[in-house]
Amino acid sequence: MTQLALVIDLNVCVGCHACVTSCKEWNTSGPAGFMSDDNPYDKDPTGTFFNRVQTFEVGQYPDTETVHFPKSCLHCEDPPCVPVCPTGASYKREEDGIVLVDYDKCIGCKYCSWACPYGAREIDEHQKVMKKCTLCVDRIYDQSLPESERKPACVLACPTSARLFGDIHDPRSEASIAIREEGGYQLMPEWGTKPANHYLRRRKTRIKIHEDELIRADNPLKKEQRGPSKPVTEPTLDDSTSW
Amino acid sequence: MHPAFSVIFLTTFIGVGQGLFLALFTSESYAAVKLLPLQSHQFYAMGSAVSLIFLGLGLLASFFHLGHPERAWRAAAMWRTSWLSREVIVLPIVMGLVFVYGMSHFYGWELKTFGLKTPVQGDLTLLVGALGTVATFGLFVCTGMIYACIRFLQEWANPLTVINYILLGGASGFVLATALASIMAPALVQFFGVWSIIITALAFVFRLASLIRNAGLRSKSSVQSAIGVSHNKIVQKSPGMMGGSFNTREYFHGAPMWLFRSVKWIFLLLVFPLPIMLISIGMAQASTLLLMLAFVVQYLGLIPERWFFFAQANHPQNIYYQTIG
Ligand code: SF4
Ligand code: SF4
C-alpha cells in the first residue's frame, strides 16, 4: 500500500511563504476551478488556501527561537473527516492514501471541517464546497511533466528544501528515511488520526572541540622529550630591531 | 464553535415536533389500556399536523445550512458511517410516519380498512404510532450523535449530549401538547402537564450535569502537541494570514465573555423554572394562554440553549489561531 505524504523540516523552514503562494497559484489555475478570495487588495483580505505558514515564538526573551510552521491537510491514515461526510464527497484514495473532496458531490455542510482536529479544511465561500490540500494530485501523475517536476507545487517552490515528498510506506523513500533517521513526528498524536505528513524538529548541529584537541595532547614533540615552546612574553628581536 | 442559526432552528424545531408526537402517542397508548379517556380523532390529527409543521420547519432550516441545497439528496448515501447521513434518512421517515398517523386518525382508518381484522380498536394508529416512536427516538439519537461522535470536541463527546437532545426535545413537545390539549382535549391537560414538568425537571438535571462536566474539562491537546515542540512557553506570532479565514470564522463564537456567560443564565431560567411555573399555574387556572406562554417561553429559551451548546465547544484547531498578526 502506498501512502503519499509530505515531511516538513522545521529546522530549515525560514517562513518565506513560497509554498503558500505556489500552492495557491497552481491550485487556483487548476481544472478543479479557482480558489476564491474576498478583498484581496483591501482591508480584511480573506480567501481559500490549502496551506498556510504560521509563526510561533518558543521560549522566554532573550532565549527565544522562532519556529515557522507550515500547516496543510496531513492526509491522515485514519482520517476522522472521511467517515462523517454524509455524501461520500470526502474520501481517501486506496491507491495512494490521498484524502480528497469530490467538488461535484459536496453539499457544503461543513461537517467534515468540524471533524478535522487540525483545521485543515476550508469552505470556499463562493463555490460553497469544502476544499483542502490535494497533494497536487493533478500534477504528481502528469506524464507530460518531466519526472523531476511530478511533485506538489509547494515542494518544488521551497527554497530551502524544507519539504520532502514521498511514499512513507516505502522504507527506502526519501520521506521515510527522513522520518526514521531525523526523528519525524506527527501532530496531535493524542487523537489517533495517524497523520501521514510528518514534521522534523528544530535541531542544532554543533561541532564539539575539546581544549586538548587545540593544544595537541598527542603532539609528536613529546616523543622527543621537548615540550612545545612556552608563549613568548619578553620582547623579541622583531620588536627591537628595524630592518 | 460558531453557532449557526440554521442548525439552532433545525435542532430545536424538530425537537418540538418529535416531542409533540411522542406526547400524542403516549396519551393514545394510555387510552388504549383505558388509563386515560380516549380522545377524538380530531385532536390526534390536529396534533400530528402541528408536529409535522415543526418537523417541516426544521427540515427547511437545515437547507439554509448547506452550500448546495440542490444536492441535499446525496446526503443519504453514507449511512453506514455518518450520523449526519442517518439523520437525513430518519427525518423523512419520522415525517412520513407522523403524516400517516395523522391521516389514519383524520379518516378513522383501521387495519380492517385494508382487510386485516384485529380485536384491537384503533389498531392502525397504534401500530403506526409505535413505529413512529421508534423512529422518533432514532432521530434523537442521530441528532445527538452527530455532535457526540466527534471525539476531540470534548464538550460534546459524551452520552449526555444525546440524553439532552432527547429530554429537551421531549420537554418542549410535551409542553406544546399541554397547551394544545387545553384547547382541544381538556381531559388530557393534567396528564400532559405533569409529564411536561417531570421531563423538564429531568432535562434540567441532565443539562446541569453536562454544564458541570464541561466546566471541569481539560483539553487533551495543547500548543505543544499541536506543533510538536516541547517547551512550556510557546507564543503564536502569526496564524499565516492577516484578515481572518474560515478557520477564524467557523470555530469561534466571537461573542464577548459577558454575553457568553449571561446566555447560560438566560437559558437556564427560560427553559426550566419559568415554564414549570407557568404550567403549574396554567393547569391550576385552566388557562390556555398561560400554557401557550409556557411553550413560547421554553422555546425562546431553547434558542440560547442551543447557541450555548455550540459556542461552548472548543475545537482543537483553535490552538492554531490564537493571535491575528
Ligand atoms: S488533516 Fe484533517 S482534513 Fe486532512 S486527512 Fe487529517 S483529519 Fe482529514
Ligand atoms: S462539506 Fe462536503 S465534503 Fe464535507 S462533510 Fe459536507 S458534503 Fe462531505
Side-chain angles (χ1 to χ4, degrees):
Chain A
M1 221 180 81
T2 311
Q3 173 64 65
L4 297 180
L6 297 172
V7 175
I8 297 168
D9 191 345
L10 299 183
N11 198 39
V12 290
C13 174
V14 290
C16 69
H17 292 249
C19 53
V20 179
T21 49
S22 70
C23 165
K24 178 93 173 188
E25 193 277 331
W26 174 264
N27 286 296
T28 205
S29 336
F34 62 94
M35 293 156 71
S36 61
D37 290 315
D38 284 296
N39 311 325
Y41 306 108
D42 232 323
K43 194 168 168 278
D44 298 328
T46 183
T48 318
F49 284 78
F50 292 170
N51 177 33
R52 310 220 183 228
V53 178
Q54 309 194 314
T55 302
F56 293 85
E57 190 177 82
V58 179
Q60 183 91 43
Y61 179 83
D63 300 315
T64 55
E65 201 162 307
T66 304
V67 175
H68 299 292
F69 175 80
K71 177 167 84 77
S72 55
C73 169
L74 310 168
H75 299 279
C76 301
E77 299 203 43
D78 194 356
C81 56
V82 168
V84 301
C85 174
T87 63
S90 276
Y91 62 104
K92 184 170 177 73
R93 302 208 323 171
E94 287 286 334
E95 62 269 36
D96 53 15
I98 300 181
V99 176
L100 288 177
V101 181
D102 184 335
Y103 300 152
D104 293 328
K105 279 193 191 162
C106 175
I107 56 173
C109 67
K110 305 184 198 161
Y111 191 31
C112 54
S113 70
W114 296 10
C116 166
Y118 308 100
R121 294 176 163 245
E122 300 187 16
I123 197 115
D124 188 302
E125 301 284 2
H126 294 275
Q127 291 169 26
K128 302 284 184 199
V129 291
M130 197 50 76
K131 298 201 167 173
K132 60 178 276 304
C133 162
T134 65
L135 271 185
C136 287
V137 70
D138 53 344
R139 74 174 290 151
I140 56 177
Y141 296 112
D142 189 345
Q143 301 291 327
S144 67
L145 292 173
E147 174 113 39
S148 61
E149 284 179 29
R150 287 180 217 156
K151 286 180 176 176
C154 57
V155 174
L156 294 172
C158 180
T160 61
S161 303
R163 306 173 75 93
L164 310 175
F165 170 67
D167 174 11
I168 59 161
H169 285 181
D170 168 8
R172 271 167 308 191
S173 73
E174 187 190 13
S176 294
I177 293 173
I179 294 171
R180 199 165 58 234
E181 295 181 357
E182 312 286 333
Y185 66 89
Q186 297 167 319
L187 305 183
M188 293 189 189
E190 61 271 23
W191 300 118
T193 56
K194 296 206 223 128
N197 281 12
H198 282 66
Y199 286 77
L200 305 182
R201 291 210 154 71
R202 297 298 294 260
R203 48 208 185 279
K204 296 278 181 302
T205 26
R206 292 199 178 95
I207 35 168
K208 276 214 180 76
I209 300 178
H210 293 285
E211 211 169 334
D212 58 350
E213 287 170 301
L214 287 173
I215 307 167
R216 289 179 57 188
D218 54 349
N219 194 319
L221 290 178
K222 245 189 168 163
K223 301 264 183 267
E224 298 162 24
Q225 317 278 301
R226 282 166 50 206
S229 48
K230 299 239 164 43
V232 185
T233 44
E234 57 272 21
T236 64
L237 191 61
D238 283 342
D239 294 327
S240 49
T241 328
S242 73
W243 297 94
Chain B
M1 302 295 296
H2 180 78
F5 276 99
S6 48
V7 183
I8 294 179
F9 285 119
L10 159 69
T11 54
T12 50
F13 277 143
I14 63 172
V16 174
Q18 287 166 269
L20 177 57
F21 174 73
L22 289 180
L24 293 176
F25 185 65
T26 314
S27 77
E28 191 184 358
S29 39
Y30 270 57
V33 292
K34 310 249 175 338
L35 287 174
L36 280 178
L38 198 62
Q39 294 305 312
S40 66
H41 282 315
Q42 272 84 346
F43 172 68
Y44 292 112
M46 187 63 194
S48 308
V50 176
S51 160
L52 261 185
I53 290 173
F54 275 97
L55 291 167
L57 284 175
L59 184 63
L60 185 72
S62 75
F63 280 99
F64 286 94
H65 188 67
L66 302 183
H68 283 278
E70 78 284 3
R71 298 178 188 162
W73 58 273
R74 286 187 181 276
M78 302 307 280
W79 54 272
R80 280 188 199 82
T81 58
S82 167
W83 283 104
L84 179 52
S85 185
R86 289 171 199 159
E87 185 189 42
V88 166
I89 294 170
V90 179
L91 177 55
I93 292 180
V94 169
M95 292 181 72
L97 286 169
V98 174
F99 179 72
V100 175
Y101 179 79
M103 289 301 269
S104 320
H105 269 299
F106 190 72
Y107 290 110
W109 291 337
E110 302 234 348
L111 276 180
K112 66 171 182 278
T113 323
F114 307 96
L116 281 168
K117 282 218 168 59
T118 61
V120 187
Q121 198 199 352
D123 48 11
L124 179 64
T125 53
L126 283 174
L127 181 69
V128 176
L131 290 177
T133 304
V134 174
T136 301
F137 274 101
L139 182 54
F140 274 132
V141 172
C142 289
T143 311
M145 282 308 288
I146 287 177
Y147 307 104
C149 78
I150 305 180
R151 58 185 181 275
F152 39 83
L153 279 166
Q154 290 168 264
E155 287 82 354
W156 294 350
N158 187 271
L160 284 174
T161 302
V162 178
I163 295 173
N164 280 324
Y165 270 93
I166 296 176
L167 288 175
L168 290 168
S172 57
F174 268 79
V175 176
L176 181 58
T178 318
L180 289 181
S182 77
I183 306 172
M184 297 184 64
L188 294 184
V189 171
Q190 293 295 326
F191 173 74
F192 286 139
V194 171
W195 272 115
S196 310
I197 292 175
I198 294 174
I199 301 175
T200 304
L202 264 180
F204 181 61
V205 171
F206 280 95
R207 192 65 179 96
L208 215 58
S210 85
L211 287 178
I212 292 170
R213 171 183 177 271
N214 290 351
L217 272 184
R218 284 244 175 289
S219 170
K220 269 199 204 167
S221 292
S222 61
V223 64
Q224 283 78 12
S225 76
I227 67 169
V229 174
S230 29
H231 193 292
N232 285 337
K233 191 164 187 309
I234 302 177
V235 185
Q236 184 167 37
K237 291 291 167 186
S238 155
M241 89 249 324
M242 289 147 66
S245 70
F246 178 71
N247 301 78
T248 58
R249 289 187 292 266
E250 180 72 4
Y251 304 89
F252 295 88
H253 58 77
M257 215 49 208
W258 62 266
L259 184 65
F260 177 76
R261 288 222 186 84
S262 34
V263 164
K264 181 171 72 188
W265 295 110
I266 292 172
F267 90 70
L268 280 177
L269 192 72
L270 288 182
V271 177
F272 307 107
L274 274 185
I276 290 184
M277 218 173 67
L278 287 167
I279 296 167
S280 316
I281 306 176
M283 283 197 309
Q285 302 187 349
S287 155
T288 304
L289 192 71
L290 282 181
L291 293 173
M292 268 298 171
L293 194 64
F295 170 70
V296 172
V297 166
Q298 189 172 52
Y299 184 77
L300 288 182
L302 283 175
I303 296 173
E305 188 279 330
R306 217 43 51 89
W307 186 93
F308 190 83
F309 170 78
F310 287 104
Q312 199 187 26
N314 188 16
H315 200 286
Q317 80 102 38
N318 293 2
I319 295 170
Y320 295 109
Y321 298 90
Q322 303 174 38
T323 3
I324 291 280

